[in-house]
Amino acid sequence: MFSVLLSLYIKEQPSHLIQCLDSLFSQTLLPTEIILVKDGPLTAELDAIVSDYAVRYPVLKVVALPQNRGLGRALNEGLKHCSYDIVARMDTDDISKPDRFEKQVAVFQKHPELDLVGAWIDEFENTPQHVLSVRKVPETSGEIYEYCKKRCPVNHPVVMFRKSAVLAAGGYQHFPLFEDYFLWVRMLKNRAKFYNIQESLLYFRTSPNMFKRRGGWKYAMDEVRFQNVMRKMKMITWGRFLMNVVIRFPVRIMPNKLREILYKNSLRK
């Protein structure tokens, strides 16, 4: 028995939300409940889609926030409504592969000591048949811990975790664009056990706008601030902090098209 946690906000494309929800209700192992947080007011079309699916599928429970509070705060509120310790995350514009939950739950059943089970993701544009790249992440907890010092070690949209382990690490905290990475760092420092399935279990929607969002001076400075937080938490040393900044800062301030080429050809496989 497990929950699925979604956060929806006004800028989501209705067609993307429909694809997301359809993928959840087409699983070989169906979720016991789905908690969908409305992060502030939505468009009439999005509201109609949510209402329609809630009527068709009673396992879909809606939590409405009066104002947009940001992803981290919305997910924290949603976690309060998750009835089960095992919680699967997903973004409302992505598509889960049909056997995603079956494979993740099987790992939890075989290894009850685990606190988080992730996987790889297929990054696509327009349709899932147009996969541009695969974001691969390391497998074992020790490998994940070391990888975390350099890059985010878990693909947030395909993760399944124990609610108790997330709450023990302080839950999601407001750190725009780094909410998930910050959570993984705190969980790993809290000795949580991670595992990443070595295959893609989700289609992750991407576009040139995604690469634009991962650039600019503000993003660059926020990333420096986050790296400094990791240093203060003793996840990384001063040397690793400086190396990360030297490597990552130029990527954030380079032209968007160059950053897109770099991600597709060097940072993905």
Side-chain angles (χ1 to χ4, degrees):
M1 302 176 92
F2 64 96
S3 306
V4 177
L5 178 59
L6 305 170
S7 176
L8 176 65
Y9 84 128
I10 194 169
K11 292 185 179 180
E12 186 59 271
Q13 294 293 319
S15 60
H16 297 172
L17 175 61
I18 289 171
Q19 287 182 300
C20 166
L21 293 175
D22 284 346
S23 77
L24 292 178
F25 293 113
S26 302
Q27 291 288 305
T28 55
L29 178 63
L30 292 171
T32 318
E33 69 174 6
I34 299 173
I35 304 299
L36 186 149
V37 181
K38 293 183 181 180
D39 190 10
L42 304 177
T43 63
E45 190 172 3
L46 287 173
D47 270 325
I49 292 169
V50 172
S51 297
D52 175 56
Y53 276 82
V55 170
R56 290 162 56 194
Y57 302 99
V59 297
L60 177 60
K61 302 173 184 178
V62 180
V63 177
L65 303 181
Q67 297 178 339
N68 180 269
R69 298 174 59 187
L71 181 62
R73 291 169 180 150
L75 293 179
N76 268 341
E77 186 61 34
L79 271 178
K80 297 176 185 177
H81 297 267
C82 291
S83 306
Y84 305 100
D85 191 41
I86 300 296
V87 178
R89 266 285 294 128
M90 188 173 171
D91 290 336
T92 52
D93 61 347
D94 296 332
I95 303 169
S96 282
K97 295 187 179 182
D99 56 356
R100 173 196 165 182
F101 295 150
E102 181 179 356
K103 289 184 174 180
Q104 288 180 293
V105 168
V107 174
F108 271 116
Q109 290 176 332
K110 187 175 181 180
H111 300 282
E113 74 279 6
L114 291 174
D115 298 297
L116 181 150
V117 176
W120 299 349
I121 56 176
D122 288 339
E123 299 177 317
F124 75 97
E125 277 188 10
N126 302 319
T127 71
Q129 289 72 38
H130 187 207
V131 174
L132 302 175
S133 55
V134 179
R135 185 169 193 269
K136 298 183 177 182
V137 282
E139 183 174 11
T140 66
S141 206
E143 292 170 333
I144 291 167
Y145 189 95
E146 290 303 312
Y147 190 86
C148 187
K149 298 176 183 180
K150 299 178 290 184
R151 297 179 63 193
C152 185
V154 174
N155 290 315
H156 191 204
V158 75
V159 75
M160 184 178 276
F161 52 60
R162 292 192 185 277
K163 174 181 175 180
S164 54
V166 168
L167 295 180
Y172 286 95
Q173 295 184 13
H174 187 63
F175 209 129
L177 301 176
F178 295 93
E179 292 96 344
D180 58 326
Y181 198 167
F182 190 28
L183 176 59
W184 315 144
V185 171
R186 286 180 283 114
M187 289 179 71
L188 288 168
K189 293 297 289 185
N190 207 34
R191 299 185 178 181
K193 297 289 186 280
F194 286 21
Y195 181 81
N196 282 318
I197 296 172
Q198 298 295 285
E199 66 175 294
S200 294
L201 295 181
L202 177 133
Y203 294 107
F204 177 82
R205 193 180 302 275
T206 186
S207 70
N209 285 334
M210 184 194 76
F211 301 107
K212 185 176 181 180
R213 290 195 302 270
R214 294 183 178 180
W217 282 96
K218 184 181 184 304
Y219 192 108
M221 295 309 299
D222 284 345
E223 188 162 50
V224 171
R225 185 165 63 94
F226 176 67
Q227 293 290 328
N228 195 43
V229 168
M230 286 208 295
R231 181 191 63 79
K232 290 180 178 179
M233 294 175 64
K234 301 189 184 302
M235 170 59 78
I236 58 176
T237 63
W238 264 110
R240 184 76 248 181
F241 165 78
L242 293 172
M243 186 179 300
N244 287 349
V245 171
V246 168
I247 292 172
R248 300 171 80 94
F249 196 88
V251 176
R252 301 310 175 195
I253 62 173
M254 68 173 52
N256 185 51
K257 190 61 181 178
L258 287 179
R259 184 166 49 255
E260 181 178 352
I261 292 171
L262 179 65
Y263 263 89
K264 290 179 179 178
N265 296 309
S266 299
L267 300 179
R268 299 291 189 267
K269 296 182 180 179

